[in-house]
Amino acid sequence: MYIAIASGKGGTGKTTVAVNLAVVSALLNKRTRLLDCDVEEPDVHVFMKPEDVEEKAVNVKIPVIDEQKCTKCGKCKDICEFSSLVFLNDKPVIFDDMCHSCMLCLRVCPFDAITLKDKKIGTLRSGYGVNNVLLDYGLLDIGQVAAPSIISQLKDRLKNDTNNNVILDCPPGTACSVVESVKDAEFVVLVTEPTRFGLNDLKLAVELMRSLEKKIGVVINRSDDNDPLIEDYLNKENINLLGKIPYLKEAAHIYSEGDILVKKDSGLHSRFLTIYSKITGEVES
Amino acid sequence: MKVAVSTQGKDINSVVDARFGRTLGFIIFDTESENWEFLDNSQVLNAPQGAGIQAAKHVVDAGVNVVITGHLGPNAFKALSAAQVNAYTFKGGSVKEAIDLLKKGELQSLTNPDVEGHWV
């Protein structure tokens, strides 16, 4: 099973859901791998406490122009979608931070004047944490912007993966980095909260997942037990409610200690078990 | 010498816009002939990214030697430097006042980017 946890709105509890589902999965003796794709602000490791973490640099390819070979034909700048290669006073200038490493400039240059150099934008880390869950997480260097590149390289680690379950914690929002994160997932869990902000951003996330043709289900976090604001919307849109996490002081306390809800509270454990089995049912259907 | 001044309006008495990349447009002023024209920047103003670079390209393509604006981010600064365009900072007055001060040598030049990208 390969699922992604996303939300639209930030702070709804994506990480809480991802971490607790991973531990529920591990407690069912499934070999479980968790990916933290929120590379701008990863925090899954705070809960999973991985040990013997291995670290690897993430590089992207950036063009370099050989001015001896360049005839200033301008084909490279014409094809660049991101203003990262422009001609100023008839001289090519490259803006590394704008480059998306699409390499089209390299392909269209008729004179082989463009080569590539590596630029480090972040790191990937990996280690086994709580209940032997394998955690992979990326960290974007400060000042860098190419989050999808790190997410893509983080997901490359899933090639030939033999774990039973892969759970991917997405960044918030509905932008490129979320699209990159959910791309290959079999099922997307959208976490929301019973507020107007939660509903508004849930709608945006649903719209995005539908345009990506993803199967989805919703978890309501900090639930008041009766959440007509969200539930009326889900009914109207025919979206499956996977479960609710109650608004409990005890849950907030466990979380604030960096502990895992399902290991500290049997009531919450059974809630997450129900959510887990509903997801497996959806994935297999 | 041709001067580009970022502006909130379309004529020489308009207020100078502190933003460079996402300014409404530029007054392009020729100090020899004293003639000026308005260079529209509205397409760049609404670009999702790279506004500083594109605005720099516009003024460089217009043959400008000097830019007067409020602030310059790192990309706009790099683009103008690459094209050997000198930049000066001016705020809170009209385009005409800015040009008069430039002529008197009373404007402060920008030798480094003075803001982060996306500063507004």
Side-chain angles (χ1 to χ4, degrees):
Chain A
M1 173 169 97
Y2 177 2
I3 62 167
I5 318 296
S7 72
K9 186 182 176 297
T12 55
K14 281 181 300 304
T15 301
T16 303
V17 170
V19 162
N20 283 281
L21 285 178
V23 173
V24 163
S25 156
L27 289 170
L28 292 168
N29 291 324
K30 304 281 185 189
R31 275 178 296 110
T32 305
R33 191 165 190 170
L34 184 53
L35 266 70
D36 189 352
C37 289
D38 190 358
V39 300
E40 290 181 57
E41 223 163 2
D43 61 352
V44 173
H45 60 281
V46 175
F47 300 94
M48 297 309 291
K49 303 174 178 63
E51 288 174 2
D52 302 324
V53 173
E54 285 174 31
E55 193 169 297
K56 187 183 154 241
V58 179
N59 293 314
V60 290
K61 299 287 184 193
I62 300 289
V64 184
I65 296 182
D66 181 342
E67 293 196 24
Q68 303 292 315
K69 289 186 183 169
C70 175
T71 64
K72 303 181 175 55
C73 71
K75 284 191 174 158
C76 52
K77 73 163 169 61
D78 293 339
I79 202 139
C80 182
E81 279 282 318
F82 303 101
S83 308
S84 50
L85 206 166
V86 291
F87 275 41
L88 293 160
N89 281 350
D90 214 22
K91 192 172 161 268
V93 182
I94 295 172
F95 293 84
D96 290 0
D97 290 345
M98 307 296 291
C99 178
H100 285 52
S101 306
C102 72
M103 301 180 209
L104 281 176
C105 54
L106 178 90
R107 290 193 194 175
V108 298
C109 178
F111 308 100
D112 294 329
I114 300 183
T115 52
L116 296 171
K117 67 171 181 189
D118 277 334
K119 185 181 83 161
K120 180 179 175 286
I121 58 164
T123 44
L124 297 185
R125 292 175 186 170
S126 190
Y128 285 90
V130 172
N131 285 69
N132 227 18
V133 171
L134 176 56
L135 172 66
D136 299 280
Y137 57 114
L139 185 59
L140 194 64
D141 285 348
I142 290 170
Q144 296 299 330
V145 292
S149 302
I150 297 207
I151 295 168
S152 159
Q153 293 194 30
L154 190 63
K155 291 193 312 170
D156 281 347
R157 301 201 151 183
L158 294 175
K159 280 176 190 159
N160 306 318
D161 183 76
T162 55
N163 285 283
N164 304 111
N165 287 331
V166 173
I167 297 171
L168 195 152
D169 190 17
C170 293
T174 48
C176 313
S177 53
V178 179
V179 175
E180 180 61 45
S181 301
V182 301
K183 217 152 119 189
D184 313 305
E186 295 174 280
F187 185 82
V188 181
V189 178
L190 297 174
V191 184
T192 189
E193 59 179 28
T195 64
R196 290 191 182 279
F197 290 120
L199 177 63
N200 181 74
D201 291 2
L202 174 64
K203 286 179 180 171
L204 296 175
V206 166
E207 206 180 316
L208 173 67
M209 296 312 156
R210 282 184 171 160
S211 72
L212 296 170
E213 297 178 356
K214 291 290 169 194
K215 284 206 267 185
I216 55 170
V218 167
V219 170
I220 304 176
N221 188 21
R222 291 191 281 275
S223 164
D224 303 319
D225 198 33
N226 186 18
D227 313 295
L229 189 66
I230 304 294
E231 287 178 74
D232 289 352
Y233 166 73
L234 297 181
N235 287 334
K236 200 178 95 211
E237 292 290 326
N238 205 15
I239 298 167
N240 197 356
L241 178 61
L242 301 166
K244 298 179 175 188
I245 306 162
Y247 191 30
L248 293 176
K249 194 173 181 184
E250 177 59 14
H253 183 77
I254 296 168
Y255 173 89
S256 70
E257 296 283 325
D259 280 330
I260 292 166
L261 303 180
V262 298
K263 295 185 74 160
K264 294 277 174 182
D265 186 302
S266 60
L268 290 170
H269 186 207
S270 67
R271 293 255 184 178
F272 273 98
L273 256 178
T274 310
I275 295 170
Y276 176 89
S277 53
K278 279 200 182 172
I279 294 169
T280 49
E282 288 283 330
V283 170
E284 280 154 21
S285 71
Chain B
M1 181 173 72
K2 266 177 140 179
V3 185
V5 189
S6 58
T7 168
Q8 295 177 6
K10 294 188 176 181
D11 67 68
I12 192 125
N13 295 312
S14 307
V15 176
V16 173
D17 196 329
R19 299 166 302 176
F20 177 74
R22 296 189 191 276
T23 180
L24 173 74
F26 296 94
I27 298 296
I28 308 291
F29 187 89
D30 188 325
T31 52
E32 272 105 72
S33 67
E34 299 273 314
N35 288 332
W36 60 267
E37 58 183 0
F38 176 72
L39 177 70
D40 185 47
N41 192 53
S42 54
Q43 216 180 333
V44 176
L45 171 63
N46 294 314
Q49 58 181 358
I53 298 168
Q54 288 302 326
K57 188 172 157 42
H58 268 172
V59 297
V60 169
D61 288 349
V64 156
N65 320 90
V66 168
V67 158
I68 302 174
T69 188
H71 303 284
L72 282 179
N75 283 336
F77 185 83
K78 180 180 166 182
L80 292 175
S81 307
Q84 292 171 325
V85 171
N86 293 319
Y88 294 87
T89 179
F90 176 81
K91 269 183 282 185
S94 72
V95 172
K96 193 169 179 308
E97 286 162 4
I99 288 168
D100 288 342
L101 286 173
L102 177 75
K103 285 180 185 166
K104 289 186 207 158
E106 288 176 11
L107 281 188
Q108 195 194 337
S109 74
L110 281 166
T111 52
N112 283 297
D114 65 333
V115 286
E116 293 287 315
H118 309 270
W119 61 277
V120 273

